[in-house]
């Protein structure tokens, strides 16, 4: 359930970005976020693994990149 919420948040952020995100960028962010979460959750099955947490950090960075590129703050 948590991974689905994070994925939905990335998709919503891509769709509702200020000024509208270009669709290739939005689709790329959503696909990369889904891939990072899938790999993180797969690797998190090992005892003591921090892979799920690390994958959430990757998704957070992707969301920040999307925010900066669509808001015009990056340049």
């Amino acid at each position: 359930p948590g991974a689905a919420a994070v994925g939905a948040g990335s998709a919503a952020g891509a769709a509702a970005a200020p000024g509208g995100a270009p669709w290739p960028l939005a689709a790329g962010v959503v696909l990369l976020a889904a891939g990072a979460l899938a790999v993180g959750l797969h690797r998190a099955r090992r005892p003591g693994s921090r892979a799920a947490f690390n994958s959430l950090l990757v998704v957070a960075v992707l969301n920040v990149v999307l925010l900066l590129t669509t808001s015009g703050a990056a340049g």
Side-chain angles (χ1 to χ4, degrees):
V6 172
S10 293
W23 73 266
L25 175 66
V29 166
V30 171
L31 290 175
L32 286 173
L37 285 174
V39 169
L41 291 176
H42 176 70
R43 290 185 175 177
R45 294 189 284 172
R46 297 178 304 200
S49 175
R50 296 178 51 88
F53 175 74
N54 291 337
S55 68
L56 288 176
L57 289 178
V58 170
V59 171
V61 168
L62 288 171
N63 286 332
V64 168
V65 168
L66 178 68
L67 177 68
L68 289 176
T69 56
T70 58
S71 68

